[in-house]
Amino acid sequence: MTIKPLIILPDPVLRQVSKPVERIDAESLQLADDMLATMYDAPGIGLAAVQIGVPRRLVVIDVSREGEEKTPLVFFNPEIVASTDARSTYEEGCLSIPDYYAEVERPAGVTVTYVDRAGEKQTLEADGLLATCLQHEIDHLNGTLFIDHISRLKREMVIRKFTKAAKSKI
Ligand code: NI
């Protein structure tokens, strides 16, 4: 497992729409393992492949609490097929937008279809933090960031801050 460098706002790679993973083979399983290593190292609770510069529809998540056993989840080609009318709000962050957090309201529950590590199609009903995390990560596969769900004023402030920071590093 290799820890990969994270793609940071405002890198345009983050706005790409990711392509489906064609087959679950050694290469795609290696990518999932590298993503998990990168996510745990950060540390974070979710990561989309595009965040390490690979625009493929692959998401890894672990919402287990500190001190609990790790529960790494891998979702190839995840798709939201249903969501609840009930909504919930979480303070979200993103490994591609370090040290910025904002409250985002989303459906409280989602049903997601995906392909697992064994290549089997699965359906998962999620609520709570896992539901929010799945929606946040699946957004990444469509080039959407959590800051797209907050006010325009706040979003523009964040983008300005990160654009300035990126320029000062050159
Ligand atoms: Ni994110």
Side-chain angles (χ1 to χ4, degrees):
M1 291 207 264
T2 313
I3 295 161
K4 302 284 188 182
L6 289 160
I7 305 288
I8 303 295
L9 188 78
D11 194 316
V13 169
L14 293 171
R15 293 306 190 177
Q16 283 189 31
V17 176
S18 294
K19 294 205 169 72
V21 176
E22 302 281 349
R23 64 189 78 79
I24 314 304
D25 54 13
E27 198 183 328
S28 50
L29 291 170
Q30 178 68 55
L31 175 60
D33 285 340
D34 290 348
M35 285 168 61
L36 283 166
T38 305
M39 179 186 79
Y40 286 127
D41 178 68
I45 62 169
L47 189 73
V50 68
Q51 293 180 272
I52 56 165
V54 182
R56 293 285 161 196
R57 303 189 83 82
L58 170 55
V59 161
V60 297
I61 289 176
D62 187 341
V63 291
S64 62
R65 291 202 185 86
E66 218 183 311
E68 283 180 359
E69 207 177 317
K70 281 182 181 165
T71 50
L73 303 173
V74 175
F75 302 89
F76 291 98
N77 302 330
E79 206 178 318
I80 295 168
V81 293
S83 44
T84 60
D85 290 335
R87 297 174 76 82
S88 64
T89 302
Y90 275 94
E91 186 167 74
E92 295 189 22
C94 181
L95 293 177
S96 295
I97 313 174
D99 301 319
Y100 181 76
Y101 303 91
E103 290 200 333
V104 178
E105 192 194 286
R106 300 178 186 267
V110 287
T111 305
V112 173
T113 60
Y114 65 100
V115 174
D116 68 14
R117 301 184 71 118
E120 304 285 338
K121 189 155 182 193
Q122 303 286 353
T123 303
L124 174 71
E125 272 183 47
D127 59 14
L129 182 57
L130 179 57
T132 289
C133 195
L134 276 164
Q135 292 172 82
H136 176 120
E137 301 309 332
I138 292 170
D139 266 358
H140 273 299
L141 306 184
N142 298 319
T144 300
L145 301 170
F146 84 95
I147 54 169
D148 298 336
H149 298 290
I150 63 178
S151 77
R152 194 176 128 189
L153 188 73
K154 281 191 198 166
R155 178 169 57 255
E156 283 175 353
M157 264 169 50
V158 180
I159 292 171
R160 236 189 342 264
K161 188 180 149 209
F162 277 83
T163 303
K164 217 172 135 187
K167 275 187 189 144
S168 71
K169 272 182 212 145
I170 293 167

